[in-house]
Amino acid sequence: MSEKLQDKFGKKMPWVMGNQVRIPRIKYPTYREGSLSLPSPGRSMMLLGTFIFLFWLLMGGIYILIKEPSAMGGNASGAIMWLYPSTSDAFVIESIVAAVLIFIGGSGFFLLYNATKHSFNYNYAIKLLILGMVLAGTSFGILQYMMAVKTGKIIVS
């Protein structure tokens, strides 16, 4: 519509609508039946909420809610203990440490995945590959050590 007006009246009134002037078009909103958009948080906030929920699940949040934890990290005499001697129970601090180690291992696998995306940048891909393998292997080793101590295969004084 605006181009037609410019073509129609531009030759008769060049001082009003010259070649440099462009009449903007107005976009009228279209009515859509039944569409309601509510404000929602950004993707980064939803991702952060998802990671916090996953951390809570890995930490044993449901177990802590259902069963009252025996203690935060000590025995009856008051000595500090990091690992509960049974595999069916856990201290809260033990659950938090295990969840942190699982997240570190997961970030190692994420770095391994990203190393495949940067295959043309060889030096960067090798750095990501080594760092991912170190993170995943270290967290797996520490978790296995924790389980060996809990089952009594390794005695720590």
Side-chain angles (χ1 to χ4, degrees), residues 64 68-75 79-84 90-96:
I64 292 171
E68 184 99 13
S70 56
M72 286 295 286
N75 58 9
I80 296 174
M81 293 177 62
W82 290 98
L83 298 172
Y84 198 80
F91 290 132
V92 175
I93 189 71
E94 177 184 348
S95 301
I96 292 172

Side-chain angles (χ1 to χ4, degrees), residues 89-150:
D89 288 324
F91 290 132
V92 175
I93 189 71
E94 177 184 348
S95 301
I96 292 172
V97 169
V100 167
L101 288 172
I102 291 171
F103 259 79
I104 289 172
S107 64
F109 283 112
F110 182 72
L111 289 176
L112 288 174
Y113 170 70
N114 275 340
T116 62
K117 290 183 176 182
H118 299 282
S119 60
F120 292 113
N121 191 354
Y122 183 74
N123 290 330
Y124 184 65
I126 290 296
K127 289 175 188 174
L128 286 179
L129 193 66
I130 291 171
L131 184 61
M133 289 172 66
V134 166
L135 286 177
T138 304
S139 66
F140 179 75
I142 294 173
L143 284 170
Q144 288 299 313
Y145 176 76
M146 285 175 60
M147 285 304 296
V149 170
K150 279 181 76 74

Side-chain angles (χ1 to χ4, degrees), residues 19-34:
N19 291 337
Q20 302 297 324
V21 177
R22 186 177 188 289
I23 300 172
R25 290 186 179 175
I26 298 173
K27 284 185 88 174
Y28 294 104
T30 58
Y31 176 72
R32 290 181 293 199
E33 183 76 31

Side-chain angles (χ1 to χ4, degrees), residues 15-58:
W15 61 89
V16 176
M17 291 185 218
N19 291 337
Q20 302 297 324
V21 177
R22 186 177 188 289
I23 300 172
R25 290 186 179 175
I26 298 173
K27 284 185 88 174
Y28 294 104
T30 58
Y31 176 72
R32 290 181 293 199
E33 183 76 31
S35 67
L36 177 67
S37 63
L38 296 173
S40 62
R43 285 187 160 185
S44 60
M45 291 301 291
M46 292 190 321
L47 186 65
L48 180 68
T50 304
F51 278 138
I52 289 172
F53 178 69
L54 284 175
F55 184 80
W56 180 76
L57 279 179
L58 286 175

